[in-house]
Amino acid sequence: MPGILSLIAGALWVLAVIQIMFPLPGLSPVMAGLLVCFVIGAITRVAWHTQILCTVLALVTVGLAWFYGQWSAIVPGITKAAIFPAFLSTIVLLRATAEQRPEIVNARQMFGQLDPLKRDSGIVIGTHLIGAILQVGVFAILAPILGRNAPVKERREVFTVAIRGMATVPFWSPFVVGMAVASQYLPLVPLWQVMALGMVLSILGIATSILVFDRNPGLGTLRRALRSLVPIAFPIFVSALVVVGTVAVTGLSTLQALILSLPIPCLLAALQVRAASVPEVLRQTTGGIGRIGPETSILACSTTLGAVFEAALPHMGLLAWFNTIALPAVVVIFIVILTMNIAGLFGVHAIVTGTFLLV
């Protein structure tokens, strides 16, 4: 089954590239059908909580479609979601490439050499930068800090520090799923503006984190961490700028630009290390795209639900009510952020909450 899922995901990746470069009406139904096949094949292999979430999303979708007579919105919703496997596959390729690069090897060494009493700022900044591309994979890079017999208290301390660095990654990184979802619903918002504001917020958040929560804060420790991480930061920001530049030059959406612009630079970056790196990157990517089932299933179900909800919204009376209260933009943004955070505390997936709010 993983091999079949990899083939379907690869086919969706190729078809998405073709669709972006040469829009063909006949490809959309094919991609929608392949996405349905992928989700059906993947849903039996994902964790039980993901199965429950997708089942609930599917039932709500059917309920809304039946109650408001919006069955015709289901297929466009699936079609809209068909680009996400290509996005996730590209991210898998990006991560596989990053793991072959010497910068990641140096990061492992840097983490391993950090003074246990003065390492908080290095971990915060390091996990933020590396997490922008590897995301949850950054915790494997932290392994040199902890030996096999590290006590639970020390593991908790390292994780708590690392999560402070990871928490602000979605503010600016175009490689996270949240940015992909938001860009689908807010296509008129320029990516460079989102990233610029996000970087400012990330810097403020990281600085506050270091000053308030580090066990041994100090400018000397911070300088050493920044000096060690400069080689890591450069390729990460170059990757992000490639996506931003492609959006600016071509006018493509963030998702489309990322799918088109990253694969060739990734392969060139792997080739720069050594010729054998390219086959290794391709091998890891081929295996990895067969494991994007959980993310793809949630995105497909939530996007389809969003399409049906959007079609049914005029019949609910909610739009008229929203227009009467005429909320300022700042208040709307505050409500979106607050609602997603509160829902997250109760275990509601951010993609689900975000889909409803963005619609």
Side-chain angles (χ1 to χ4, degrees):
M1 182 62 75
I4 296 175
L5 293 178
S6 296
L7 287 174
I8 297 175
L12 284 166
W13 194 0
V14 172
L15 290 177
V17 171
I18 296 173
Q19 183 76 314
I20 294 168
M21 298 179 66
F22 312 102
L24 300 172
L27 280 184
S28 295
V30 175
M31 293 175 66
L34 286 173
L35 178 61
V36 171
C37 293
F38 184 89
V39 172
I40 292 174
I43 201 68
T44 58
R45 303 178 60 84
V46 302
W48 64 268
H49 52 81
T50 302
Q51 293 177 343
I52 293 174
L53 174 59
C54 291
T55 301
V56 171
L57 293 175
L59 290 174
V60 174
T61 300
V62 171
L64 284 175
W66 174 78
F67 191 81
Y68 292 101
Q70 298 299 327
W71 296 104
S72 60
I74 291 179
V75 173
I78 297 172
T79 302
K80 185 177 181 180
I83 195 173
F84 285 118
F87 162 75
L88 294 169
S89 298
T90 307
I91 297 303
V92 171
L93 172 63
L94 181 64
R95 292 174 184 171
T97 304
E99 290 175 0
Q100 297 296 315
R101 293 289 304 174
E103 292 85 359
I104 298 299
V105 176
N106 295 336
R108 286 194 178 95
Q109 295 174 349
M110 185 273 293
F111 282 133
Q113 294 169 359
L114 289 173
D115 185 338
L117 299 178
K118 300 178 180 179
R119 66 190 179 190
D120 287 7
S121 57
I123 294 175
V124 169
I125 299 173
T127 51
H128 180 84
L129 290 174
I130 303 170
I133 285 183
L134 294 183
Q135 295 165 47
V136 294
V138 72
F139 296 108
I141 308 298
L142 284 172
I145 291 180
L146 300 168
R148 292 182 179 273
N149 299 318
V152 174
K153 181 181 178 181
E154 184 181 1
R155 293 177 183 276
R156 185 181 295 113
E157 288 175 350
V158 171
F159 173 79
T160 303
V161 175
I163 208 67
R164 285 198 271 125
M166 284 289 296
T168 48
V169 166
F171 284 2
W172 69 271
S173 175
F175 310 120
V176 299
V177 174
M179 185 77 80
V181 174
S183 68
Q184 283 286 83
Y185 287 97
L186 303 171
L188 298 181
V189 180
L191 178 61
W192 70 267
Q193 290 184 6
V194 177
M195 291 181 59
L197 177 60
M199 285 183 181
V200 172
L201 293 174
S202 295
I203 291 170
L204 291 174
I206 289 172
T208 303
S209 167
I210 291 174
L211 292 174
V212 176
F213 297 107
D214 271 19
R215 287 166 291 183
N216 289 285
L219 291 178
T221 305
L222 182 59
R223 276 197 300 268
R224 284 193 296 273
L226 290 173
R227 192 163 53 246
S228 301
L229 291 164
V230 166
I232 301 171
F234 180 73
I236 292 171
F237 287 123
V238 168
S239 301
L241 287 175
V242 167
V243 178
V244 174
T246 304
V247 171
V249 172
T250 64
L252 295 172
S253 70
T254 301
L255 280 179
Q256 292 173 330
L258 190 146
I259 292 167
L260 279 188
S261 64
L262 282 185
I264 292 178
C266 282
L267 295 177
L268 291 176
L271 185 62
Q272 187 182 19
V273 178
R274 60 184 185 278
S277 294
V278 174
E280 178 61 22
V281 166
L282 294 176
R283 185 189 65 78
Q284 289 186 22
T285 303
T286 302
I289 62 176
R291 295 191 293 270
I292 59 174
E295 297 91 343
T296 301
S297 300
I298 295 172
L299 285 167
C301 292
S302 60
T303 303
T304 305
L305 172 57
V308 175
F309 179 61
E310 187 173 4
L313 197 55
H315 308 285
M316 296 179 178
L318 287 175
L319 286 178
W321 178 68
F322 281 135
N323 288 331
T324 57
I325 58 178
L327 294 174
V330 173
V331 175
V332 173
I333 293 170
F334 176 76
I335 290 173
V336 170
I337 295 172
L338 189 64
T339 304
M340 291 184 69
N341 277 282
I342 292 175
L345 294 175
F346 288 92
V348 181
H349 201 290
I351 293 175
V352 178
T353 317
T355 297
F356 272 101
L357 294 172
L358 289 170
V359 167

